Amino acid sequence: MSSPSKPRILLLGEIEHEPAREEWQALSSFAELVTPKATNRAEFLKECKSGAFDGVVAVYRTFGSASITGRVDEEMVKALPKGLKYIAHNGAGYDQIDVDVCTDHGIHISNVPTAVDDATADTGVFLTIGALRGFNLPLINLRKKEFRGTTAPSLGHDPEGKVLGILGMGGIGRNMARKLRAVGMSVQYYNRKQLSEDLADGAKYVQFEELLKTSDVISLNLPLNAHTRHIISSPQFRLMKRGVVIVNTARGAVMDEAALVAALDDGTVASVGLDVYENEPEIHPGLVSNDKVLLLPHMGTYTVETQTAMEKWNISNVRMALQEGKLRSPVPEQKDMAS
């Protein structure tokens, strides 16, 4: 009598760090590890429909894999193997996946939450201080061998005594709050739900409009979904203090970039620190050309330590799914979904 075949795991994207690669290869002791041959979405859908991935129970996917597969939407889910039960996404944000569609098809989704907190918060701190101090233009001038420039740059502002308004007080927001309190900022936040006193750690809970009206710096730390897309646009900019500083390390599309450019042009927004963009890798030309905008190319988790930890966390989701029938870190929308 032949032994039952191993369950299969599909890898979408790359596992780049050796400690994580070793853990990935260790999964082969109880599962068959599979990779696609496709180089674009059309080829990938065709490969799915050919039966090449039959028997795949779990998928490990990266943010970059969307360049091959596209978004995990209704069309994609229908093409994937019928026995697929789990998709483990290597990232905190998972807007590339239509969770509702996956739920309807009985597919469980996980993400990588806390492993990204420190590095992303550090990026937010850098952008906050850099935008407040107006460091972008002097950096540009220095590389042009003009030192401070042909005319002196405008004076910046100290973080001490400023009010930091955090929109989305999850792990990254709380981490950023703790670090910016150390340089003298007071913290207020708006969240879907008010945090416990322990989690808030002294931060003041306010309503959305009050946060917009009273914050000196507004940091966007919320996930992108149908409810948060363009949560900051022209009406919201009109409520803000004149001279407000905006920082975004979440997802570009939570803010209307065209409205941000207009708010910079009319002086409502004094300066900006951005790590994410509405149509990455494209950036609105009005942001690129503005000396008051400090730009990073989505570097939030771009460290050896954090990306290794993320890969290992995501592998643990896959391992737990196959060995225990559940995910280590299911996405919040599926917290009550039956196994």
Side-chain angles (χ1 to χ4, degrees):
M1 185 177 178
S2 62
S3 59
S5 59
K6 292 180 179 180
R8 306 177 83 197
I9 306 170
L10 177 62
L11 174 62
L12 298 178
E14 301 290 334
I15 296 174
E16 298 181 354
H17 301 279
E18 190 57 35
R21 287 196 199 106
E22 292 173 1
E23 293 195 11
W24 174 256
Q25 289 302 322
L27 299 179
S28 64
S29 64
F30 61 87
E32 180 186 352
L33 308 180
V34 184
T35 55
K37 297 177 181 177
T39 60
N40 57 57
R41 181 178 174 94
E43 290 178 2
F44 182 74
L45 290 171
K46 185 176 180 180
E47 198 171 355
C48 287
K49 293 171 184 177
S50 74
F53 306 134
D54 287 356
V56 167
V57 177
V59 170
Y60 176 117
R61 80 179 299 277
T62 67
F63 183 84
S65 69
S67 65
I68 295 173
T69 67
R71 195 162 185 268
V72 181
D73 53 14
E74 182 80 36
E75 180 186 35
M76 177 66 64
V77 168
K78 285 182 176 179
L80 288 167
K82 300 302 179 188
L84 178 65
K85 295 181 179 179
Y86 306 100
I87 297 178
H89 173 70
N90 184 22
Y94 47 93
D95 46 286
Q96 293 176 339
I97 302 172
D98 190 324
V99 176
D100 290 339
V101 167
C102 289
T103 301
D104 290 343
H105 288 264
I107 299 172
H108 298 254
I109 309 298
S110 64
N111 68 331
V112 176
T114 56
V116 306
D117 291 356
D118 263 315
T120 308
D122 290 346
T123 303
V125 170
F126 169 83
L127 290 171
T128 298
I129 295 175
L132 273 168
R133 293 292 304 274
F135 283 156
N136 183 59
L137 183 56
L139 286 170
I140 293 171
N141 288 336
L142 196 61
R143 292 190 181 277
K144 290 162 60 178
K145 299 183 179 180
E146 295 179 1
F147 203 65
R148 288 186 178 174
T150 52
T151 56
S154 300
L155 289 173
H157 295 277
D158 293 326
E160 186 172 1
K162 303 299 186 295
V163 177
L164 171 66
I166 295 180
L167 186 55
M169 192 73 154
I172 296 168
R174 295 195 301 273
N175 192 308
M176 196 169 161
R178 174 171 57 82
K179 290 169 176 172
L180 284 169
R181 272 197 295 266
V183 294
M185 299 190 81
S186 62
V187 181
Q188 59 185 14
Y189 73 97
Y190 173 74
N191 225 28
R192 288 173 296 179
K193 295 181 180 178
Q194 186 172 354
L195 300 178
S196 66
E197 288 188 13
D198 285 346
L199 284 178
D201 193 24
K204 177 185 177 184
Y205 179 73
V206 296
Q207 293 301 314
F208 181 46
E209 287 195 2
E210 184 179 350
L211 182 140
L212 299 178
K213 291 176 180 178
T214 60
S215 298
D216 299 304
V217 178
I218 296 175
S219 176
L220 307 183
N221 298 95
L222 68 171
L224 174 62
N225 54 47
H227 303 292
T228 62
R229 182 175 294 276
H230 284 193
I231 193 169
I232 300 296
S233 190
S234 298
Q236 289 72 41
F237 284 120
R238 286 195 288 270
L239 294 174
M240 295 178 191
K241 282 186 175 182
R242 188 165 184 83
V244 69
V245 171
I246 305 291
V247 173
N248 188 6
T249 59
R251 284 290 187 266
V254 300
M255 182 162 51
D256 180 343
E257 283 187 356
L260 172 61
V261 169
L264 278 160
D265 289 345
D266 70 18
T268 299
V269 175
S271 56
V272 182
L274 300 175
D275 188 43
V276 289
Y277 307 94
E278 192 167 353
N279 297 299
E280 290 182 25
E282 296 178 17
I283 305 175
H284 194 294
L287 297 174
V288 176
S289 63
N290 194 315
D291 294 335
K292 297 177 181 178
V293 182
L294 181 58
L295 304 172
L296 289 176
H298 207 148
M299 301 286 285
T301 61
Y302 213 68
T303 72
V304 170
E305 295 83 1
T306 293
Q307 294 207 356
T308 300
M310 290 171 66
E311 289 178 346
K312 292 173 77 171
W313 183 298
N314 208 39
I315 290 166
S316 75
N317 264 314
V318 174
R319 183 185 300 108
M320 185 176 286
L322 268 65
Q323 293 185 333
E324 301 180 31
K326 60 182 180 181
L327 292 162
R328 176 183 177 185
S329 51
V331 297
E333 296 95 322
Q334 293 186 335
K335 64 180 181 179
D336 299 321
M337 184 177 171
S339 299

